[in-house]
Amino acid sequence: MQKLIDLTHSLSPEVPTWDGSPGFGIEINTDYADCTPPDIFRTQKINMGAGIGTHMDAPAHVVPGARTIDALGLDDLTGDCAVINVSAEAGEDYVISPAAVEKFEREHGQIRPHTFVIFYTGWSRRWAEREKYNNNHKFPAVAAETAELLIKRGIIGLGTDTLSADTGAGGFPVHRAVLGADKILVENIANADHLPPTGAKVFILPPKIAGGTEAPVRMIAIV
């Protein structure tokens, strides 16, 4: 029997952000009491950064002239899913090396083309504590060599359950590698520990923003 897994964190003013400031706001424009029954409505206005919560980066996020959110096809946003679990060893200074991918492939076979790869570090357990999750940008990251290895495998993209695949301490080489190869990145993934290492299908569903370089997503998997 198929099962749906929601890989998306809820958005609220309390969610962790890159700079630590509130990045999401929602306010009521019209409320039920302002209306004449029986037709009552609550309308709302959202104010947010595009790269907040569970979100994706399009190639144009770091590559001038590259594809934007609206230029990505459905094939770029759906595919097989491989989950590489490094949570047993991942701490705030941990960097995911190619050895993690090689170990996964010895156990599950080589990652196939058109796969979306998620690194589950366990950092998502901190999501409800904004300062601990941000942690002054000290969280498990991905090595550039690891991203380059996965690109050679023909992946459609890479995802993490942290603020970013790069901490920024040494620049953003994983962003340059993955987005520079016309692939996508997804950050702040929830519930990746509910997925099997292989066998799931993933769907990354952003609003179709013209010219967008980032976008929040509703990300789901079918197991």
Side-chain angles (χ1 to χ4, degrees):
M1 184 175 68
Q2 290 185 332
K3 182 180 180 181
L4 288 170
I5 305 293
D6 192 349
L7 303 175
T8 317
H9 289 292
S10 297
L11 288 172
S12 76
E14 291 76 36
V15 300
T17 58
W18 182 258
D19 64 4
S21 65
F24 179 86
I26 185 167
E27 60 186 67
I28 295 173
N29 283 335
T30 304
D31 211 352
Y32 308 123
D34 302 322
C35 303
T36 302
D39 299 313
I40 61 173
F41 301 92
R42 172 174 285 173
T43 64
Q44 298 171 311
K45 180 180 179 180
I46 294 172
N47 182 25
M48 61 182 290
I52 191 172
T54 307
H55 72 277
M56 65 171 290
D57 298 340
H61 185 47
V62 301
V63 182
R67 289 196 296 170
T68 52
I69 295 292
D70 57 311
L72 296 168
L74 295 179
D75 283 347
D76 300 304
L77 305 172
T78 60
D80 294 330
C81 184
V83 180
I84 301 177
N85 187 337
V86 296
S87 60
E89 54 266 26
E92 64 179 26
D93 296 317
Y94 182 74
V95 179
I96 303 168
S97 71
V101 177
E102 292 161 358
K103 178 177 182 292
F104 176 89
E105 292 186 325
R106 286 195 298 271
E107 297 173 357
H108 303 286
Q110 184 168 302
I111 293 169
R112 295 181 295 179
H114 208 77
T115 294
F116 185 82
V117 176
I118 298 174
F119 287 111
Y120 173 68
T121 72
W123 201 256
S124 52
R125 292 191 290 263
R126 298 177 174 223
W127 178 257
E129 300 174 86
R130 180 162 65 187
E131 291 185 3
K132 286 184 66 176
Y133 189 86
N134 182 290
N135 200 38
N136 294 316
H137 296 175
K138 296 189 72 174
F139 48 78
V142 181
E145 296 81 5
T146 306
E148 290 161 0
L149 172 60
L150 292 173
I151 290 165
K152 290 177 182 176
R153 297 288 188 262
I155 63 169
I156 60 172
L158 183 158
T160 70
D161 65 337
T162 64
L163 270 175
S164 173
D166 297 293
T167 64
F172 297 87
V174 175
H175 279 70
R176 294 197 308 271
V178 174
L179 302 180
D182 199 38
K183 311 301 181 182
I184 63 172
L185 282 171
V186 180
E187 295 158 339
N188 300 321
I189 294 174
N191 300 322
D193 55 324
H194 295 185
L195 298 178
T198 62
K201 296 281 187 181
V202 71
F203 298 81
I204 303 157
L205 306 172
K208 196 172 182 179
I209 302 171
T213 63
E214 305 170 277
V217 299
R218 187 67 181 263
M219 184 174 178
I220 63 171
I222 299 177
V223 178

